[in-house]
Amino acid sequence: MIFINTCAIRDNAEQRVRTRLHDFKKAKRAKPSLIVGVLGCMAERLKSKLLEEEKLVDIVAGPDSYRDLINLIETVEGGNKAVNVLLSREETYADISPVRLSSNGVTAFISIMRGCDNMCSFCVVPFTRGRERSRDPESILEEAKQLFENGYREVTLLGQNVDSYLWWGGGQKKELDPDTVHKALHHQLPAEEQQRFTTFADLMEMVAGVHPDLQIRFSTSNPRDMTDAVLHVIAKYDNICKYVHLPVQSGNSNVLERMNRGYTREDYIQRIESIRRIIPECGISTDIISGFCGETEEEHRDTLSLMEWAGYDFSYMYKYSERPGTAAEKKFTDDVPEKVKSRRLQEIVDTQRNLSAIRTKRSIGKTFRVLAEGVSKKSDEMLSGRNSQNTVVVFPKANLNPAIMSM
Ligand code: SAH
């Protein structure tokens, strides 16, 4: 059996999957009993259409149907194609452990929630991953403990929008009125009532308490939902990394409005100011999209100026890729020419390169605590890891104190 786990966030992710599928043609011809399955978001987006478009595919399984894989395989063995793209309101895979380990035996990922309710106009995630669901904090804590006992020294808590994580005894957000949800998320309920809830800030404190030697990271924060409570928890615990990934997407308020991001340039600036005030040494990174529908030259320059202002440590930068079924596809025209998108992206990349160089220069002469994740790709004599701010640090093995080596 060959299963490909897929991404649908941009068109080029899907094109890569299609190329990979074509690579399997030969294998399938040589061995007709070979089962090929497409799993994850691209499967969810295309559903049974994928079976028509890619004849060699036998199984199409969306992100909520992994428990059903055995049945799907049996269906195929019975001579039929098999599809399950049902999205669930409850599935969090809480009892399937571990969700994702890195092969280095040191760092691991824990999904704390699934889905997304934000409906950013460019984004396919709500359609491929379904509604937002938070996972039971006890099961998250248990997984973090297990990982620590198995030698892991870093966990990254994962969610599309970690700041909207909310748990109360098994209930889902839709069962509460929006005002209570808002107050609970911002720790504004009367103490007794607030106690019923676990917010992301509460969850981080719980995981930070597992062991002082278990280091914690998280992703992704949303500028609209991030609370100061979370920032105070980051500042309070030495084992929570001083690093926030805060995707801005654009530095212009009109573009942000078209993107339905729920914040303005000014709101975003305030968020960064809070981060810098509460966690002065914090590393900050972002995601940026160039050439969104209707983006003018001036709007693009607002993105560049915001980058300069924020002084990002690093950025993930993309050209806008229209996704079928999204609000942007329905409401706007993908009217920024490819050439212009590319040129703007290049300007964004160049700006970031300068900012990263400034950050590197600032580091000269400083000492950082680094969790070694493995041997450097470039030299066996060097180890590689990241500092608290998530910057990669490569350092000679020889410098290590033998006492540390044996830990
Ligand atoms: N949930 C996170 C982002 C998840 S997707 C958030 O809300 O910020 C990761 C990144 O992919 C996004 O931040 C965005 O920059 C990029 N992205 C998403 N959809 C895209 C699209 N249609 N075209 C180009 N980039 C896109």
Side-chain angles (χ1 to χ4, degrees):
M1 276 178 293
I2 302 176
F3 288 155
I4 316 188
N5 197 15
T6 62
C7 174
I9 196 84
R10 283 172 293 278
D11 185 56
N12 60 3
E14 292 196 2
Q15 292 315 323
R16 290 224 299 271
V17 173
R18 289 190 192 266
T19 310
R20 184 63 68 84
L21 281 173
H22 293 168
D23 293 345
F24 297 153
K25 265 195 184 141
K26 243 203 197 142
K28 183 117 180 174
R29 223 175 287 136
K31 189 176 181 210
S33 64
L34 176 73
I35 295 175
V36 176
V38 177
L39 276 44
C41 287
M42 184 178 172
E44 188 63 48
R45 196 180 80 70
L46 292 166
K47 305 189 168 54
S48 50
K49 232 166 84 186
L50 197 55
L51 295 177
E52 293 152 31
E53 290 172 8
E54 304 290 346
K55 292 276 183 276
L56 91 167
V57 173
D58 304 296
I59 293 178
V60 175
D64 285 348
S65 58
Y66 299 141
R67 283 181 211 273
D68 193 34
L69 276 173
I70 293 288
N71 299 327
L72 299 175
I73 293 165
E74 279 174 359
T75 306
V76 173
E77 284 173 344
N80 295 304
K81 302 253 173 181
V83 180
N84 182 347
V85 287
L86 286 177
L87 285 174
S88 158
R89 273 180 174 261
E90 281 83 34
E91 180 65 86
T92 60
Y93 294 105
D95 52 345
I96 295 192
S97 166
V99 173
R100 190 169 134 203
L101 297 178
S102 294
S103 52
N104 60 23
V106 180
T107 56
F109 297 86
I110 302 181
S111 274
I112 62 164
M113 56 210 293
R114 291 181 70 84
C116 189
D117 285 349
N118 269 0
M119 300 305 277
C120 300
S121 65
F122 53 81
C123 190
V124 79
V125 168
F127 306 99
T128 59
R129 289 292 183 94
R131 300 301 299 269
E132 183 192 291
R133 298 139 266 173
S134 296
R135 185 179 154 191
D136 182 346
E138 287 303 328
S139 82
I140 297 170
L141 199 59
E142 205 37 56
E143 196 170 315
K145 283 182 187 158
Q146 284 280 320
L147 286 165
F148 183 75
E149 277 163 24
N150 290 330
Y152 286 83
R153 289 296 174 265
E154 178 184 293
V155 293
T156 301
L157 307 179
L158 288 180
Q160 292 296 336
N161 178 8
V162 291
D163 302 287
S164 75
Y165 175 91
L166 195 65
W167 177 266
W168 69 102
Q172 293 296 320
K173 256 188 201 161
K174 61 178 193 296
E175 295 157 16
L176 288 181
D177 69 280
D179 185 51
T180 308
V181 170
H182 182 86
K183 286 191 174 139
L185 284 172
H186 289 82
H187 291 247
Q188 287 165 352
L189 291 170
E192 218 169 278
E193 216 183 315
Q194 185 73 40
Q195 259 183 6
R196 286 173 50 214
F197 294 92
T198 307
T199 64
F200 183 56
D202 301 329
L203 178 72
M204 286 240 283
E205 284 210 87
M206 289 166 68
V207 181
V210 167
H211 196 283
D213 287 340
L214 182 67
Q215 155 166 307
I216 294 142
R217 298 185 189 273
F218 57 93
S219 195
T220 305
S221 304
N222 188 292
R224 168 168 57 186
D225 300 314
M226 187 167 212
T227 61
D228 282 0
V230 168
L231 299 176
H232 288 296
V233 172
I234 301 171
K236 183 170 157 193
Y237 289 90
D238 283 344
N239 59 335
I240 302 182
C241 290
K242 308 300 177 246
Y243 165 61
V244 176
H245 180 58
L246 198 66
V248 66
Q249 315 300 358
S250 164
N252 176 275
S253 296
N254 294 328
V255 177
L256 289 169
E257 166 129 37
R258 293 203 289 281
M259 289 178 164
N260 194 31
R261 289 287 289 177
Y263 56 87
T264 61
R265 177 185 174 97
E266 290 68 33
D267 297 334
Y268 186 87
I269 286 177
Q270 275 185 13
R271 278 286 89 211
I272 299 261
E273 281 174 343
S274 306
I275 296 173
R276 299 249 185 256
R277 186 182 71 246
I278 299 168
I279 320 163
E281 77 276 35
C282 200
I284 303 180
S285 62
T286 201
D287 289 350
I288 296 172
I289 297 177
S290 85
F292 185 63
C293 308
E295 186 188 67
T296 65
E297 218 40 50
E298 207 184 330
E299 289 169 341
H300 162 64
R301 279 198 300 275
D302 280 348
T303 297
L304 299 178
S305 74
L306 186 71
M307 290 177 76
E308 299 275 1
W309 178 86
Y312 294 116
D313 293 73
F314 44 93
S315 300
Y316 300 93
M317 302 155 282
Y318 317 97
K319 271 189 277 190
Y320 173 59
S321 164
E322 186 177 84
R323 307 311 289 132
T326 56
E329 188 235 7
K330 291 181 187 146
K331 279 202 309 211
F332 307 122
T333 318
D334 181 12
D335 54 0
V336 177
E338 189 57 30
K339 254 174 109 176
V340 177
K341 275 185 194 169
S342 297
R343 194 251 307 146
R344 288 181 189 168
L345 179 65
Q346 193 55 49
E347 288 172 9
I348 291 168
V349 169
D350 292 342
T351 303
Q352 185 54 51
R353 191 168 297 140
N354 288 336
L355 294 173
S356 300
I358 295 171
R359 182 219 45 221
T360 306
K361 261 201 197 125
R362 256 203 328 261
S363 308
I364 294 176
K366 286 198 183 147
T367 306
F368 294 104
R369 187 168 184 262
V370 175
L371 174 66
E373 291 172 27
V375 175
S376 156
K377 277 186 214 130
K378 290 188 187 143
S379 160
D380 283 352
E381 298 306 305
M382 309 285 266
L383 294 178
S384 166
R386 284 163 294 152
N387 65 8
S388 182
Q389 289 72 17
N390 207 37
T391 294
V392 173
V393 179
V394 177
F395 54 99
K397 269 183 189 171
N399 280 3
L400 279 189
N401 176 331
I404 297 177
M405 284 292 269
S406 64
M407 267 169 75

